[in-house]
């Protein structure tokens, strides 16, 4: 399965549309087209980001492969908006609603030919959410507490990826999100499929190809 590095949109300017577009152009010039689109509602996590899907249409228009990560309480509300867009993946936090509600949401997303799955906090029980792991196309494993960029990678987060793989299917895409840089990516390169990095990559755009080579 192809290894993919996703740039977290949190690294770009959320307040100035022109600045955002200028920064995105710099990313595209460095062959970065896989974008991790973080949506926060200041309820599930104590922060707000891209709550009104700012610049999402522009990302899609520019040919970016968008993976939406919902850190919100009302998951269904945001899913209803996202399934009308050409996003590639949608993951949402399993802790935000019941397992039954989550199953229904995953099925809704898949009906729109979008890959679906859950995001899971560092201390959440994997066993509790095994039924969701089994039906997910993609799991976003948090290697920091969700809500803010620039945090330090939580030690041994890569072990959770191995545990998740034991509970799921061979085609599962497992994504590691939080504190990923040129050192921590080495810890999980053999276990994860997608790697989310924000400020580290944005501040070192010219090193993108070098970072990809670390996954070989």
């Amino acid at each position: 399965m192809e290894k993919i590095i996703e740039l977290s949109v949190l690294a770009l300017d959320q307040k100035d549309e022109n600045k955002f577009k200028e920064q995105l152009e710099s990313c595209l010039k460095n062959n970065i087209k896989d974008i991790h689109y973080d949506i926060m509602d200041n309820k599930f996590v104590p922060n707000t980001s891209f709550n009104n899907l700012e610049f999402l249409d522009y990302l899609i228009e520019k040919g970016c492969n968008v993976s939406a990560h919902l850190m919100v309480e009302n998951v269904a509300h945001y899913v209803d908006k996202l399934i009308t867009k050409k996003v590639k993946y949608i993951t949402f936090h399993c802790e935000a609603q019941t397992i039954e509600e989550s199953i229904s949401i995953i099925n809704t997303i898949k009906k729109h030919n979008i890959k679906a799955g859950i995001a899971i906090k560092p201390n959440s029980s994997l066993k509790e959410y095994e039924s969701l792991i089994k039906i997910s196309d993609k799991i976003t494993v948090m290697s920091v507490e969700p809500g803010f960029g620039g945090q330090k990678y939580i030690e041994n987060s890569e072990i959770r990826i191995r545990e998740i793989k034991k509970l799921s299917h061979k085609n599962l895409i497992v994504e590691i999100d939080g504190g990923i840089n040129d050192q921590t990516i080495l810890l999980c390169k053999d276990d994860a499929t997608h790697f989310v990095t924000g400020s580290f990559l944005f501040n070192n755009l010219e090193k993108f190809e070098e970072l990809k080579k670390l996954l070989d």
Side-chain angles (χ1 to χ4, degrees):
M1 194 177 294
E2 182 184 5
K3 304 276 186 178
I4 291 175
I5 295 172
E6 296 180 7
L7 173 66
S8 172
V9 77
L10 293 179
L12 306 184
D13 195 306
Q14 299 181 43
K15 298 179 180 178
D16 186 325
E17 182 176 356
N18 290 330
K19 189 73 176 293
F20 180 93
K21 290 180 177 180
E22 180 183 309
Q23 291 173 336
L24 180 65
E25 286 299 328
S26 296
C27 296
L28 294 174
K29 285 177 182 176
N30 284 277
N31 299 316
I32 299 168
K33 297 190 74 174
D34 294 288
I35 302 294
H36 190 80
Y37 195 83
D38 295 289
I39 301 169
M40 307 181 200
D41 64 356
N42 202 31
K43 295 177 182 177
F44 182 75
V45 292
N47 196 8
T48 302
S49 75
F50 301 96
N51 198 35
N52 295 314
L53 308 188
E54 294 95 330
F55 317 132
L56 177 59
D57 289 335
Y58 183 74
L59 289 168
I60 294 169
E61 177 189 319
K62 298 299 289 187
C64 295
N65 301 313
V66 178
S67 178
H69 175 193
L70 297 176
M71 290 173 266
V72 300
E73 279 189 355
N74 190 347
V75 174
H77 169 73
Y78 289 91
V79 166
D80 285 345
K81 292 183 176 183
L82 286 167
I83 56 178
T84 65
K85 310 287 186 180
K86 292 183 179 179
V87 298
K88 195 165 185 179
Y89 308 96
I90 299 174
T91 60
F92 59 89
H93 274 273
C94 52
E95 305 93 352
Q97 64 281 299
T98 67
I99 289 174
E100 290 74 20
E101 288 169 333
S102 293
I103 291 172
S104 176
I105 290 169
I106 288 173
N107 288 333
T108 296
I109 296 169
K110 288 184 176 186
K111 285 177 184 176
H112 288 80
N113 296 316
I114 298 171
K115 292 190 181 299
I118 60 169
I120 190 162
K121 291 182 178 182
N123 294 318
S124 293
S125 164
L126 299 181
K127 201 67 181 174
E128 180 179 350
Y129 297 107
E130 183 175 359
S131 60
L132 300 180
I133 292 170
K134 287 184 181 301
I135 65 170
S136 290
D137 299 310
K138 182 180 189 180
I139 306 284
T140 301
V141 178
M142 298 304 300
S143 43
V144 298
E145 287 296 334
F148 295 91
Q151 296 184 68
K152 186 178 178 181
Y153 180 87
I154 295 174
E155 189 176 349
N156 295 323
S157 292
E158 64 276 8
I159 294 174
R160 296 210 4 123
I161 302 173
R162 295 169 205 154
E163 293 172 347
I164 284 172
K165 284 184 170 180
K166 291 176 183 177
L167 299 174
S168 191
H169 52 89
K170 65 177 182 178
N171 294 320
L172 178 70
I173 295 168
V174 184
E175 173 173 85
I176 188 84
D177 181 4
I180 298 299
N181 55 39
D182 56 353
Q183 298 301 311
T184 54
I185 201 169
L186 298 174
L187 300 174
C188 47
K189 72 170 190 173
D190 294 331
D191 301 300
T193 317
H194 289 200
F195 307 81
V196 180
T197 175
S199 54
F200 174 80
L201 178 55
F202 185 67
N203 292 329
N204 299 277
L205 292 178
E206 73 285 354
K207 294 184 178 180
F208 177 57
E209 295 300 329
E210 292 178 29
L211 195 61
K212 285 202 300 184
K213 286 179 181 177
L214 293 178
L215 299 176
D216 293 341

